[in-house]
Amino acid sequence: MAGEFETSVAYGLKLSKRIYYGKQSAAAAPAAPTPPEMVRQMSRRSSTGGGSDQQISYLPTAVTVYAMVSEPEAVDNPDVPSYQPYVHGRCDPPALIPLHMYGAELEVDCCLDHARVGFAGRWRVHCVKTGRTCDCRVAVPMGEKGTILSVEVGVTGRLYHSRLMTADDADELSKASKAVGGDGRYLKGNVYTFRIPQIAGGSMISVKVSWSQKLVYGGGQFSLDVPFSFPSFVNPIGTRICRREKIMLNVNSGIDKEISFKSSSHGLTELRREVGKIGFSYEAQVNTWSISNFSFSYSVCSADLFGGVLLQSPFLRDFEERQMFCLHLFPGTNQPRKAFRKEVVFVVDISGSVKGDPLENTKNAILSSLYKLNQEDSFNIIAFNREMYLFSPLMEPATPETIVKANQWLNDKLLAEGGTNILPPLQQAMKLLAETSNSIPLIFLVTDGTVEDERDICNFVKASLASAATETSISPRICTFGIGSYCNHYFLQMLAQVSKGHFDCAFDADSVDSQLQRLFTTASSVLMANISMDCLEHLDSLELLPSSIPDLTTGAPLLVSGRYDGTFPESVKVTGTWADMTNFTMDLKVKRTKDLPLDRVLARRQIDLLTATTWLSQSKELQEKVAKMSIQKGIPSEYTSMILIYTDKGEKPPETHLVMEVFSKLNSLKSLQLGTESAEKQNIYLGSSLGIGFGNLVATARNTPPGTEEGKQPDAAAKLVNAASSCCAVVADRLCCMCFIRACSHTSNQCSILASQICAALACFECISFCYEICACE
């Protein structure tokens, strides 16, 4: 899917060369360097001399709007029409021409380890003739663990607001209002795209989007990286166009400690400062839009371990009437205590689907992780498909000599083939770690597939850990890592949750190495284990998320949240175990807060945890609870869908879902029905693809590589039709259309006819005979 998107953008940029801006267009065009993300990138194969598969990445690096062009002859300047030769053929899929941008505003609100990002921009359909229309695709790249939250789109006379609904309500509303499809989907897990229909050439489009992403913690400080890097081709042509960038940044740490601001990519001006809070702004008139992401970092000044408990009452109309709480524990920057000794088992999926880069990058990550172990640590490796392969029958010391042997074994034995069977290797790993003492036992499960017995695996792990648990023992922590979207991420999250482990994922092969190494670094840097909260047994009710409190590591603060009924104590006693097996006790002060959006900060993690629990229990009641929470908090889930509701500009936007609940379902749907068949005045159904899903058994059984989209391959005639639209894109470069006709895989008389039409349209008569030679047409 991502590859098709990039190809469509490449075609769109070639098509845009048909646009004539006037005699002074070359002088008026802003000279902007291409952002780093858009430069030519080299894969591992080409960098090592094994091939020449260099390519330019056209995935968006900031919010971008594209004109979807199916008919190349519609491409022209709506202000300055020019003669364009007629081109036979259509672009299928449509070419994507990046629109010129006329405004960029960014607002970021940070709290604890959560950031809410809002972006507002304006674009012009500069590439479609007056009187013609096209659909436009909006692409929203997001940062670390990003999730789309809301969308607002304004076009001449039209305004769309996003709304989350249950899947049943969304389907019924779509039918009642004859909603058009918006094709909402994710590319590589962190770029959300959707389509707005029928926008006239020359129109202005305003887009406001918001998403959440995670602050990265390391070295005692938080950092955030927001996609804000615009390629040069979105800069409008002209010297008199005013371009203003604006950024607002607010940090509310939720902690009564001074914030120390460290760095920023843009020239921020401090507006206000209080204990635990800070605010900045940036505004500038620029010649070209920003070519770097907006990044910043700050620390909460404390060398020692510290924490607290935040309380907050439910807001008005909250379906959950119980009080909220959040316990936070920070490792600090000074950890003089002895580190836990580690016993590590890597359980690696080598089924046929991980062949190539996913498996090679996994091997590299494992080897790099082994070199991070100390010589008193021990390790083992288990590879599995339908069979199981052990590096050693026993745990091996992490000496340089043993790691060299492990590297050789990885290269010799880890060959991708066969199916997927997770339970036997997981049982073997737990058996290897059954006799550990005075150490942290860690299992790293890496897979890209889904298996039928996942609930049985979770129940087996829960039962095994419960039977072996003692007050002083440290049970194996299962850290799970998913590759792509065909694996069941909620199974992997539940497996990590019940064992006090960690979960992470990578949606593309290129990020497997870095993401897996980061998971290892976080999970293996345990400061304190077996953490528990006392003094809460007298509460009338208590919901704890996650249900098992994870270990405190140097790589991330510990956050535990939930709901309760009763009287919360004025302090909470937290106990745990240090690496030398001595006990730790700390009283955390309880504070009631009103100015902190606690429900919004915690909603994403709570929905994910509850969805994993819902998947395991198959509880309809819990599923309804997750759907209600999703709609109320405005956080997408697996059980809700998003619809863009149409209103005429100047009208009051539809009421929120909470207000609509006082009406009957029928009246709610009827009030939103538009009563018109005009595609311009219809709601837009973005679909239920806002979640990551529960895996794909069929794709796993077929050993489909992660990220691969199956589809019907076009025949030779269809390739030539598409080639026509591609050829017209490069007329300005005077490239022969036959470069594209080389794509023919087999021949027919239709090839001959189409080739003649293409060449005639492009006045490329000298290449007709060459066309016949290349295609070998009959």
Side-chain angles (χ1 to χ4, degrees):
M1 192 178 297
E4 180 183 289
F5 182 93
E6 291 188 84
T7 300
S8 296
V9 175
Y11 285 166
L13 290 174
K14 293 174 182 177
L15 275 175
S16 66
K17 295 179 181 179
R18 291 169 56 96
I19 303 171
Y20 176 69
Y21 296 101
K23 295 181 179 179
Q24 304 301 320
S25 60
T34 302
E37 292 81 0
M38 301 298 296
V39 300
R40 189 174 295 272
Q41 297 178 349
M42 186 178 294
S43 69
R44 177 181 295 104
R45 195 177 74 175
S46 62
S47 65
T48 55
S52 57
D53 53 346
Q54 294 179 338
Q55 60 181 2
I56 296 175
S57 173
Y58 287 116
L59 288 176
T61 53
V63 179
T64 309
V65 182
Y66 304 84
M68 302 177 65
V69 177
S70 298
E71 300 178 356
E73 58 91 15
V75 176
D76 200 356
N77 189 332
D79 302 321
V80 187
S82 59
Y83 171 77
Q84 297 288 348
Y86 186 80
V87 178
H88 293 269
R90 292 173 56 86
C91 298
D92 184 18
L96 296 175
I97 301 180
L99 299 184
H100 289 168
M101 189 172 72
Y102 287 80
E105 296 185 9
L106 191 66
E107 185 170 355
V108 183
D109 294 295
C110 301
C111 181
L112 295 176
D113 66 343
H114 169 275
R116 185 183 181 96
V117 182
F119 178 88
R122 293 183 301 114
W123 292 262
R124 186 168 188 261
V125 185
H126 71 289
C127 53
V128 175
K129 295 177 180 178
T130 301
R132 298 291 294 268
T133 64
C134 69
D135 294 352
C136 287
R137 181 163 292 280
V138 181
V140 185
M142 296 168 287
E144 181 78 10
K145 301 194 182 303
T147 302
I148 196 75
L149 299 178
S150 66
V151 175
E152 180 182 308
V153 178
V155 192
T156 306
R158 287 183 282 163
L159 191 63
Y160 297 95
H161 293 83
S162 63
R163 179 176 301 165
L164 289 171
M165 295 181 176
T166 64
D168 291 341
D169 284 352
D171 290 341
E172 190 170 343
L173 176 59
S174 297
K175 295 175 183 177
S177 62
K178 298 181 181 179
V180 296
D183 302 331
R185 60 178 183 260
Y186 279 97
L187 304 177
K188 288 194 172 184
N190 68 333
V191 180
Y192 184 71
T193 75
F194 61 93
R195 178 170 58 87
I196 305 296
Q198 296 189 8
I199 299 177
S203 297
M204 294 294 296
I205 304 173
S206 64
V207 177
K208 295 181 180 179
V209 292
S210 67
W211 67 88
S212 65
Q213 63 180 82
K214 190 175 180 182
L215 290 164
V216 177
Y217 183 84
Q221 67 182 35
F222 287 103
S223 61
L224 185 71
D225 189 70
V226 179
F228 199 62
S229 179
F230 299 95
S232 58
F233 46 69
V234 304
N235 287 289
I237 303 298
T239 57
R240 298 182 179 180
I241 298 173
C242 179
R243 303 177 181 90
R244 295 197 69 83
E245 292 178 344
K246 186 177 181 180
I247 299 175
M248 294 292 294
L249 171 63
N250 298 293
V251 177
N252 185 347
S253 68
I255 304 166
D256 292 332
K257 291 184 179 293
E258 288 291 340
I259 294 176
S260 175
F261 197 79
K262 297 297 183 180
S263 64
S264 173
S265 59
H266 292 65
L268 298 177
T269 301
E270 185 174 319
L271 298 179
R272 58 192 172 277
R273 177 183 290 270
E274 303 175 38
V275 175
K277 301 177 184 179
I278 197 167
F280 295 92
S281 71
Y282 159 82
E283 186 169 1
Q285 184 168 335
V286 296
N287 293 324
T288 60
W289 297 117
S290 170
I291 60 170
S292 65
N293 287 350
F294 173 59
S295 59
F296 67 94
S297 61
Y298 68 92
S299 65
V300 180
C301 303
S302 180
D304 300 322
L305 185 148
F306 67 95
V309 179
L310 301 173
L311 304 182
Q312 195 168 84
S313 299
F315 62 87
L316 188 63
R317 300 191 188 95
D318 193 339
F319 78 94
E320 174 66 88
E321 297 180 351
R322 293 183 295 177
Q323 302 283 310
M324 292 177 283
F325 77 91
C326 175
L327 180 147
H328 54 86
L329 200 60
F330 286 76
T333 58
N334 182 24
Q335 294 97 24
R337 288 182 172 271
K338 176 185 176 183
F340 275 94
R341 186 172 64 87
K342 296 173 283 292
E343 300 190 56
V344 181
V345 179
F346 290 95
V347 181
V348 186
D349 185 348
I350 58 168
S351 57
S353 56
V354 297
K355 185 177 181 179
D357 285 345
L359 183 56
E360 291 303 313
N361 290 335
T362 300
K363 291 180 184 179
N364 292 337
I366 292 174
L367 183 61
S368 298
S369 299
L370 291 178
Y371 278 114
K372 294 176 184 177
L373 295 174
N374 299 317
Q375 294 197 27
E376 61 268 22
D377 300 330
S378 60
F379 74 95
N380 208 332
I381 307 171
I382 303 175
F384 72 92
N385 39 41
R386 282 295 179 187
E387 305 296 329
M388 183 170 57
Y389 312 91
L390 273 73
F391 167 63
S392 172
L394 301 172
M395 298 296 290
E396 297 288 342
T399 60
E401 296 78 14
T402 310
I403 294 175
V404 169
K405 292 180 181 178
N407 183 31
Q408 188 64 45
W409 184 85
L410 287 170
N411 292 326
D412 294 343
K413 300 296 183 182
L414 264 66
L415 304 176
E417 59 184 3
T420 306
N421 191 4
I422 295 176
L423 183 56
L426 195 57
Q427 290 173 324
Q428 181 63 38
M430 296 186 71
K431 183 178 179 182
L432 286 170
L433 298 175
E435 304 299 326
T436 60
S437 60
N438 298 332
S439 65
I440 286 287
L442 296 164
I443 298 173
F444 289 90
L445 171 63
V446 183
T447 183
D448 74 329
T450 301
V451 293
E452 294 181 347
D453 59 346
E454 289 173 340
R455 290 186 178 87
D456 295 335
I457 294 173
C458 288
N459 291 327
F460 159 75
V461 170
K462 290 174 69 175
S464 299
L465 296 179
S467 63
T470 66
E471 291 185 1
T472 58
S473 66
I474 299 178
S475 60
R477 275 49 171 156
I478 302 177
C479 302
T480 54
F481 188 84
I483 301 176
S485 58
Y486 295 147
C487 57
N488 184 351
H489 289 235
Y490 294 104
F491 156 64
L492 298 176
Q493 287 185 53
M494 178 53 66
L495 206 56
Q497 182 181 342
V498 299
S499 64
K500 302 183 179 181
H502 298 262
F503 162 77
D504 206 347
C505 61
F507 286 95
D508 61 282
D510 293 338
S511 57
V512 169
D513 191 346
S514 59
Q515 293 289 95
L516 184 51
Q517 284 196 57
R518 188 174 69 176
L519 174 66
F520 177 85
T521 301
T522 299
S524 61
S525 59
V526 177
L527 271 180
M528 188 192 308
N530 290 353
I531 298 174
S532 62
M533 298 167 54
D534 296 335
C535 306
L536 301 182
E537 61 272 10
H538 299 298
L539 293 174
D540 298 334
S541 69
L542 176 66
E543 179 185 46
L544 197 63
L545 295 172
S547 55
S548 299
I549 301 178
D551 301 325
L552 176 65
T553 71
T554 60
L558 174 62
L559 296 178
V560 179
S561 63
R563 297 271 188 164
Y564 71 95
D565 274 326
T567 303
F568 210 91
E570 294 183 357
S571 65
V572 172
K573 181 179 292 185
V574 173
T575 60
T577 303
W578 294 113
D580 58 6
M581 304 310 293
T582 58
N583 294 328
F584 164 85
T585 301
M586 184 177 187
D587 289 325
L588 300 182
K589 183 180 179 181
V590 175
K591 172 188 174 183
R592 184 165 290 276
T593 179
K594 293 183 180 180
D595 64 344
L596 200 66
L598 201 57
D599 60 315
R600 193 173 67 187
V601 171
L602 302 173
R604 173 76 275 164
R605 77 182 76 240
Q606 291 179 345
I607 286 175
D608 285 345
L609 291 169
L610 288 173
T611 302
T613 305
T614 302
W615 165 82
L616 180 62
S617 65
Q618 298 178 286
S619 167
K620 185 69 175 178
E621 181 180 353
L622 196 52
Q623 177 178 325
E624 292 174 354
K625 177 180 178 178
V626 173
K628 285 183 180 179
M629 183 182 295
S630 170
I631 294 168
Q632 192 172 74
K633 312 297 184 187
I635 308 291
S637 74
E638 299 294 340
Y639 310 114
T640 50
S641 299
M642 183 176 282
I643 283 188
L644 294 182
I645 303 297
Y646 165 85
T647 56
D648 288 320
K649 279 196 172 182
E651 291 184 358
K652 183 181 178 181
E655 296 286 354
T656 65
H657 184 85
L658 292 175
V659 177
M660 287 174 60
E661 283 183 339
V662 301
F663 301 103
S664 67
K665 177 180 176 182
L666 181 60
N667 289 336
S668 297
L669 296 175
K670 185 177 180 181
S671 67
L672 293 172
Q673 188 169 352
L674 300 177
T676 177
E677 295 183 359
S678 170
E680 290 186 354
K681 296 185 177 182
Q682 288 177 317
N683 298 332
I684 301 174
Y685 179 64
L686 298 185
S688 56
S689 57
L690 297 173
I692 54 178
F694 297 97
N696 191 325
L697 280 170
V698 175
T700 302
R702 293 177 178 174
N703 273 331
T704 306
T708 301
E709 294 294 324
E710 296 180 338
K712 182 180 178 182
Q713 295 298 320
D715 57 21
K719 287 178 179 178
L720 267 177
V721 172
N722 293 337
S725 58
S726 302
C727 289
C728 71
V730 295
V731 173
D733 288 342
R734 303 185 62 85
L735 296 179
C736 178
C737 64
M738 293 307 103
C739 296
F740 296 94
I741 298 178
R742 292 177 184 269
C744 287
S745 59
H746 61 275
T747 62
S748 66
N749 289 332
Q750 195 172 7
C751 285
S752 171
I753 299 170
L754 284 171
S756 300
Q757 291 177 339
I758 294 168
C759 293
L762 297 176
C764 188
F765 300 108
E766 66 271 19
C767 68
I768 294 179
S769 59
F770 180 58
C771 165
Y772 295 154
E773 179 183 348
I774 294 298
C775 290
C777 294
E778 298 176 358

